[in-house]
Amino acid sequence: MKLKEIYSDKTQKPVISFEVFPPNNEYEKLLEEIKVLREYKPEFISLTYGAGGKGGKSFELLQQIKTLDINVMPHFTCITSSKESITSALVKIEQEGIENILALRGDIPDFEINRHFDFNHANELVEYIKQRTNLSIGVAGYPEGHIESPDLYSDIKNLKKKVEAGADVIFTQLFFDNNKFFDYVNILRDEGINLPVVAGIMPVLSEKQLIKMTSMAKITIPDIIKEKIEKFKDEPKSLIKFGIDYAASQCIDLIRHNVAGLHFFTLNKSYSASKILDNIKGVYNG
Ligand code: FAD
């Protein structure tokens, strides 16, 4: 099913999805984790591109996930790819029967030599995908603004370009303060952006993971999370338990505010996401 239809089905609220990344090896281990996540009836699993794991054979993994009878949404970045390679990848994706894609620019590479200039921003990629394929397109949104943007409003102006180019759904960056998300959605609506906005949820697992995921982005870390990281610095299990409880309460609040979807950044581990969904079962129809 296409993103457009998935998020317009009012009986499936909120839509649950999980994000994984291609590991350098250990595909089998990831597939086992995905089998656990499958029990929670996600509408799809999204597979990152380039981020999180280097050298992963994304396409092969997409095919393997599909054999588990789960819809897959590949992420796709354009900043390090030529138009030619993007064109042939899109053909392969559609031939595989995949209906959805998350169209991204990707982070600017450290070395200019790795950069391509065929597409400079995600809106150009969205436009190209729209012209060439029947894929339904998701794009990234940043409730606290993208790191390169001088302010939230200029970033939202640029988000509008992705919407006008043909995006169907907005997937947000992770956030820990729901008010940032609610304010963001309100601004989008005021700006005439009426697409479904899917909340990016990442349970805290460790201090290292938190720093890794937030150091390159504008993401407010509430004091309570900082306190618990300090308190549980020698008790990893207690920190994971706190991360699950915190994310579960975030999800309950989001559901009560009619969020379109919850997209879990799993970091290839099913444990926290599945516990969160167990905890909130009473408030969603999964
Ligand atoms: P853009 O929309 O192009 O925006 C990038 C910056 O340029 C922003 O500051 C924006 O305001 C500005 N801008 C946008 N359009 C224009 C324009 N036309 N003119 C001038 N300025 C403009 N990265 C990966 O490498 N692989 C992944 O799989 C991946 N998955 C992600 C999933 C989600 C849900 C999210 C939120 C992010 C993901 N990222 C991934 C990170 C993403 O690639 C980076 O945040 C990247 O720096 C920006 O990508 P974008 O698509 O938002 O770019």
Side-chain angles (χ1 to χ4, degrees), residues 168-222:
D168 295 308
V169 178
I170 297 160
F171 289 85
T172 76
Q173 174 67 280
L174 65 98
F175 58 90
F176 295 108
D177 178 350
N178 282 4
N179 288 326
K180 304 277 181 199
F181 177 85
F182 299 139
D183 291 348
Y184 183 62
V185 176
N186 285 337
I187 301 170
L188 298 190
R189 301 309 182 227
D190 287 347
E191 292 295 314
I193 300 175
N194 291 309
L195 296 186
V197 185
V198 178
I201 302 292
M202 193 195 72
V204 175
L205 295 171
S206 68
E207 182 176 15
K208 195 173 152 209
Q209 161 244 13
L210 189 68
I211 291 171
K212 190 172 170 204
M213 298 297 289
T214 57
S215 61
M216 297 286 290
K218 288 182 195 165
I219 299 168
T220 303
I221 302 176

Side-chain angles (χ1 to χ4, degrees), residues 19 47-51 75-77 102-108 120-124 140-142 146-149 154-155 158-159 161-162 171-174 263 265:
E19 179 173 312
L47 181 65
T48 69
Y49 186 88
H75 296 202
F76 206 76
T77 64
L102 183 59
L104 302 146
R105 184 200 67 182
D107 289 324
I108 307 274
N120 289 306
H121 285 288
N123 63 298
E124 297 163 27
Y142 303 85
H146 183 260
I147 188 113
E148 293 165 30
S149 273
S154 44
D155 196 35
N158 289 324
L159 174 66
K161 295 178 191 161
K162 300 194 265 196
F171 289 85
T172 76
Q173 174 67 280
L174 65 98
H263 184 67
F265 300 105

